[in-house]
Amino acid sequence: MPGVSQVIPNAEKDHLVPQVLNIPEEEFNLEPLSRELIPGARLRTRAFIKVQDGCDNRCSFCITTLARGRGRSRPVADILANINEVVNDSSSNPSSAKEVVLTGVHLGSWGSDFSNPLHLSDLVKTILRDTDVPRLRLSSLEPWDLDEDFFSLWDDTRLCRHLHLPLQSGSADVLRRMARKTTPGAFASLVEAARAACPEIAITTDLIAGFPGETEQEFLETMDFVRKVSFAGGHVFTYSPRPGTAAESMPDQVPFPLRKERNAMVREVLFESEQAYQNHFINHTLPVLWESVTSLDSDIWHLRGLTDNYLRVSTQAPHQLWNQITPVLLTRIKDRGFEGVIPPI
Ligand code: SF4
């Protein structure tokens, strides 16, 4: 590659400066550059803690395995230390994070690479037992990493009632070509088990429109499946080939305009189910973590935040409640979120 003098693998990026400048590692003080915990876009209300990197799967559309390498899990002790650092006595410290989000490229595989393998559920139980994090949220999880026992974790109400389970397609044949380790039937059973354990849980998803070889029939199967499962929301991606992936060279690539058309159609179905999920919560009172606060007047504040089941809520209040969790009566839906009223204390 002309102009490229050195390639630093992703796993080595923390050592990028000494490598590029050719400074011996021991002479280079990493302290000012060592990665800080990412407190989230909105100051410190939510902290994203990366507990895992890489992936051992080979989904045929995905470049991640090539880019990030094999799955690696961080030790429990390091994760607990990170969480205690950001939570830092949350009841008395107004600026400590009120929510921790566990992230990873393949989060559900956490612990499987240890010499004594563990499961993500072991990590979640330990965090809930050994820290006083007010809210714990899980980022995206592959459906084949979970079983029915996993949902007993929601007995602890600090675990946010939100699961993001990427489906990608509702057609068994397309899932096979994608090399996904699930089927529509297995996915539906998992969702059923999650809802049995935690009835109001928000289940969101990712879908790919126009995967190579996707026939009209297979696309309609996805539309039907999305209607049947009734997700609380999600993302639809128009398939685009990634160099070096198996899907790139698959036959019968779907013409781009048709991919876009299918994206719009499945997006609409997903939006309908999102609305149905939201409608259920009108006139319900839910706890909201206020993440963004704007002063409207000397004694009126505009507050925006999230419920534990990932509903966006805004309200006006006479108090500046940034980084506090308060109950809110959800009164109406506006702009894909809710307007609410904080009941008098
Ligand atoms: S889509 Fe997810 S599970 Fe599949 S290879 Fe990519 S990172 Fe791994």
Side-chain angles (χ1 to χ4, degrees):
M1 289 187 283
V4 174
S5 57
Q6 200 172 355
V7 173
I8 310 286
N10 190 53
E12 294 292 314
K13 65 187 172 195
D14 287 352
H15 308 285
L16 185 147
V17 174
Q19 282 197 29
V20 169
L21 299 181
N22 206 15
I23 304 169
E25 195 82 37
E26 57 278 13
E27 286 180 19
F28 184 75
N29 182 1
L30 283 169
E31 182 60 29
L33 290 179
S34 65
R35 202 173 318 155
E36 290 189 1
L37 302 167
I38 303 167
R42 302 187 190 284
L43 298 173
R44 287 193 168 272
T45 60
R46 264 194 287 172
F48 294 83
I49 308 281
K50 187 168 184 173
V51 303
Q52 187 277 342
D53 204 352
C55 179
D56 294 341
N57 290 295
R58 290 280 186 279
C59 299
S60 58
F61 54 82
C62 180
I63 193 72
T64 298
T65 312
L66 299 173
R68 298 280 182 150
R70 296 191 66 80
R72 285 104 57 204
S73 308
R74 293 184 60 216
V76 178
D78 291 6
I79 298 166
L80 288 179
N82 285 168
I83 293 177
N84 283 324
E85 197 179 323
V86 293
V87 169
N88 187 20
D89 199 7
S90 64
S91 53
S92 59
N93 180 354
S95 64
S96 66
K98 296 293 183 291
E99 182 176 310
V100 161
V101 186
L102 301 185
T103 71
V105 168
H106 181 196
L107 176 62
S109 73
W110 180 89
S112 61
D113 55 319
F114 292 156
S115 49
N116 291 319
L118 290 173
H119 189 267
L120 179 65
S121 55
D122 298 312
L123 176 64
V124 172
K125 281 180 202 156
T126 305
I127 293 170
L128 292 171
R129 189 191 61 218
D130 293 354
T131 75
D132 62 358
V133 58
R135 272 185 178 186
L136 181 64
R137 194 181 294 279
L138 305 173
S139 61
S140 183
L141 289 168
E142 294 299 350
W144 57 84
D145 291 321
L146 311 182
D147 56 24
E148 287 193 16
D149 290 346
F150 191 79
F151 304 119
S152 63
L153 292 172
W154 272 270
D155 291 347
D156 190 319
T157 54
R158 290 184 297 154
L159 186 59
C160 291
R161 297 170 302 162
H162 179 206
L163 263 181
H164 185 81
L165 301 174
L167 170 65
Q168 311 302 8
S169 171
S171 153
D173 288 336
V174 175
L175 287 176
R176 203 171 305 120
R177 294 202 295 279
M178 288 176 165
R180 302 282 291 168
K181 296 178 176 170
T182 190
T183 61
F187 191 98
S189 302
L190 193 72
V191 168
E192 200 180 318
R195 287 180 174 148
C198 185
E200 292 182 335
I201 194 165
I203 298 180
T204 53
T205 197
D206 293 329
L207 290 151
I208 296 175
F211 186 76
E214 184 185 67
T215 62
E216 185 68 19
Q217 175 60 30
E218 288 168 343
F219 173 66
L220 293 176
E221 285 170 26
T222 294
M223 294 280 277
D224 282 350
F225 191 79
V226 171
R227 268 189 211 101
K228 191 172 97 184
V229 171
S230 194
F231 291 99
H235 308 285
V236 185
F237 301 93
T238 301
Y239 173 74
S240 83
R242 296 280 179 265
T245 59
E248 184 198 17
S249 53
M250 283 183 181
D252 304 321
Q253 299 276 328
V254 178
F256 190 71
L258 185 56
R259 291 182 219 167
K260 296 292 281 182
E261 203 178 297
R262 288 179 178 173
N263 182 320
M265 288 167 75
V266 77
R267 210 175 267 252
E268 206 171 305
V269 172
L270 202 53
F271 180 53
E272 282 165 18
S273 61
E274 178 183 314
Q275 283 180 315
Y277 180 76
Q278 291 190 344
N279 281 336
H280 170 79
F281 291 96
I282 291 179
N283 293 326
H284 283 224
T285 299
L286 296 181
V288 172
L289 169 58
W290 299 113
E291 300 196 86
S292 154
V293 174
T294 320
S295 170
L296 294 179
D297 207 333
S298 56
D299 52 4
I300 295 286
W301 300 83
H302 184 240
L303 316 176
R304 281 185 294 257
L306 281 175
T307 63
D308 73 309
N309 57 337
Y310 220 67
L311 301 173
R312 299 195 175 279
V313 183
S314 66
T315 192
Q316 291 186 8
H319 309 289
Q320 195 279 70
L321 295 172
W322 178 78
N323 203 24
Q324 293 188 43
I325 298 175
T326 69
V328 182
L329 173 67
L330 307 180
T331 51
R332 71 175 185 127
I333 294 173
K334 190 184 170 202
D335 301 334
R336 299 185 81 166
F338 281 88
E339 283 187 343
V341 176
I342 300 175
I345 300 165

